[in-house]
Amino acid sequence: WRSARFGAADHGALRDCLRSQRLTLHTVVQGAWAALLAARSGEPDVVFGAASSGRTADFSRIESMVGLFVTTLPARVRFDSEARAAEWLRGVQRRQAADWEHGHVALPVLRQWSGLRHDVPLFETIEALENYPIDPRLSKTEGHLRVRDLRVWEKTHFALALIVTPGPEVDVRLLFDARRVTAEEADRILQDY
């Protein structure tokens, strides 16, 4: 995997811009990913997986439930190189909201609805915005417990998996299947993103 970080100043400027344009960070993450996929593939109409926490307000008592509710939906975005960025992103955001009305539908059912052959994947890349809140008290060193030398090992079966984690800074990780994407290609993709 490869990683990059947007510093606090860049993240602050982005946050201000998003607020003024009434856009969400997830919209920009998806829009930038769609634009990159469109540019690299030469196809303006792209489909990729979009992961979400799956914890929507529609479920009664969701906050009292324990468990992983992550769901992934295919996101279809048509890149319009003629449109102004903010206008195009607002269209992406509207489509995003409409798509998540089907967030409860399992991927096998969506595959069935798509009419694709069983050997054709719904998508080969995925993006996720990991924006779950973490209690700031967890980073304080009180008592005798210390966490050191934390290591994470991640693997993807997708050609590419983009994971964006906001905080004071924005961390961007690009996981890739080394059988399908070289490390050099992954570096270029992350740089382009």
Side-chain angles (χ1 to χ4, degrees):
W1 58 277
R2 298 293 191 254
S3 64
R5 176 171 285 167
F6 292 95
D10 291 333
H11 185 210
L14 176 61
R15 213 175 26 244
D16 293 344
C17 179
L18 294 176
R19 193 174 300 123
S20 74
Q21 296 297 322
R22 292 175 284 127
L23 293 166
T24 66
L25 179 59
H26 197 206
T27 297
V28 173
V29 167
Q30 273 197 0
W33 190 239
L36 181 130
L37 293 175
R40 293 188 67 84
S41 69
E43 295 291 332
D45 195 1
V46 296
V47 178
F48 53 90
S52 173
S53 71
R55 288 184 173 266
T56 64
D58 298 349
F59 291 110
S60 66
R61 300 186 324 265
I62 189 75
E63 293 305 318
S64 65
M65 294 180 185
V66 176
L68 188 62
F69 287 82
V70 173
T71 187
T72 304
L73 286 178
R76 184 175 184 181
V77 178
R78 181 162 182 80
F79 182 68
D80 183 354
S81 60
E82 302 297 317
R84 295 189 56 202
E87 291 170 16
W88 177 73
L89 285 168
R90 277 191 282 279
V92 170
Q93 189 163 279
R94 282 189 299 275
R95 177 78 187 250
Q96 216 180 44
D99 287 350
W100 284 110
E101 289 180 17
H102 304 288
H104 63 283
V105 179
L107 272 177
V109 174
L110 288 174
R111 164 175 283 297
Q112 196 174 30
W113 290 350
S114 76
L116 289 173
R117 293 188 333 256
H118 75 285
D119 60 333
V120 176
L122 283 172
F123 43 82
E124 297 198 45
T125 71
I126 188 170
E127 64 77 24
L129 178 70
E130 293 182 339
N131 62 345
Y132 40 83
I134 297 177
D135 190 325
R137 293 176 294 182
L138 294 175
S139 64
K140 293 192 171 138
T141 56
E142 297 176 9
H144 299 289
L145 179 65
R146 303 280 188 266
V147 177
R148 296 186 325 235
D149 198 25
L150 179 65
R151 296 175 192 196
V152 176
W153 184 77
E154 296 175 285
K155 185 177 180 180
T156 183
H157 68 277
F158 296 104
L160 297 167
L162 178 78
I163 302 165
V164 178
T165 308
E169 300 179 319
V170 178
D171 291 318
V172 180
R173 291 188 321 276
L174 183 68
L175 283 65
F176 59 97
D177 182 342
R179 295 169 299 179
R180 299 164 72 187
V181 177
T182 67
E184 294 78 20
E185 287 173 314
D187 287 336
R188 284 192 299 275
I189 290 167
L190 186 59
Q191 181 63 41
D192 288 350
Y193 184 78

